[in-house]
Amino acid sequence: MTSAAIYGCSGHRLTEDEQAFFAEVRPWGFILFRRNIDTPEQVRALTDELRASIGDPDAPILIDQEGGRVQRMGPPHWPKYPPGDAYLKANDPMQAREMARLGARLMAHDLKEVGINVDLLPVLDVPVPGAHDIVGDRAYGQDPATVALLGRAAAEGLLAGGVLPCIKHMPGHGRAFADSHKDLPTVHADFDTLDGWDFAPFKALSDMPLAMTAHIVFTAVDKKRPATQSKKAVKMMREHLGFSGLIMTDDLSMQALSGSLGERAHRSLKAGCDVVLHCNGDMAEMQAVAEATGRLKGKAKARAEAAMARIVRVPEPLDPVAGHERFFQAMSGRLDVAKGPDVGEAQA
């Protein structure tokens, strides 16, 4: 039976221990990072191995391929794509929307060729002045309307290319004054302020198939628990934001969460997350998560199946050579603007 988890792996190919572990626990999916990426041929072989290990030729394989600081597949084999805020430099909103869609469509082409079918994009966080720059230039804009407009364009580009988008970091990371990879941020804004700003893009894209949580305490929702582990927050995402797709946690190994890996997984699932995510490929940690993670069943299973059913089998026609030429000509001068801390191997 499929377990309610997504795991990483250690290198360019699976070890015997990894193959045996995945065959035993049968995770719902997998996630790749820079440590797993070399050549297109190698990545394709790895994605084939991952799916073979659990006997599912269509299993979800995820990656953070945003552009800018967060791009796991890059030169020399793949283009360097711009960060989210580069699209703002277009002459008008409609051109920005067109380029955001085209950029995502091209990334979907890159991913699909090597067997990756989920991109952890779009980022729907709306930064506020003074917030930690872990989001920074990854954001599509500085206001909810722009973020929603360009976020939907990117999601549509991915879907058209046969790759599922995943909106993140629900219900919003733009007001955090700490990096949740290292600390637990607490947001004290009142609910109406959050609803009109942070939550707005997630409401606007509530029809998307997948979402990733934020490891952030929103005191207006739950004074004690980060959204990932809060029944109140997950209920709010479902009922107030209107999100009916699959909810996955951000990386369980991030320092915003406390307790053992097993406790983190248990609390997240108990709060209402459908699937837990563990990224670093550490075998001992994955075993601890697996011991606390049950099988994917009930409503969570139905949401997972509904999400995977959104993958189009025949992507929208694309001439990748002409598409790349058009995209990079239009985006000329906007590629070297990535600013902020390197997200690196930690989950984005």
Side-chain angles (χ1 to χ4, degrees), residues 148-170:
L149 175 73
L150 300 186
R152 178 164 292 279
E156 290 175 352
L158 291 173
L159 284 167
V163 171
L164 292 182
C166 177
I167 58 176
K168 64 183 187 185
H169 306 79
M170 195 161 70

Side-chain angles (χ1 to χ4, degrees), residues 72-131:
R72 312 308 187 194
M73 291 164 46
H77 298 290
W78 299 276
K80 177 179 173 61
Y81 290 97
D85 78 344
Y87 298 100
L88 289 174
K89 298 173 176 63
N91 293 328
D92 62 76
M94 289 303 101
Q95 184 189 15
R97 184 190 185 285
E98 180 185 6
M99 288 300 104
R101 187 188 191 282
L102 177 58
R105 176 66 186 88
L106 292 166
M107 284 192 278
H109 171 78
D110 299 341
L111 300 179
K112 192 171 180 64
E113 281 201 322
V114 295
I116 297 170
N117 55 5
V118 179
D119 192 359
L120 299 176
L121 184 76
V123 176
L124 298 185
D125 307 316
V126 190
V128 299

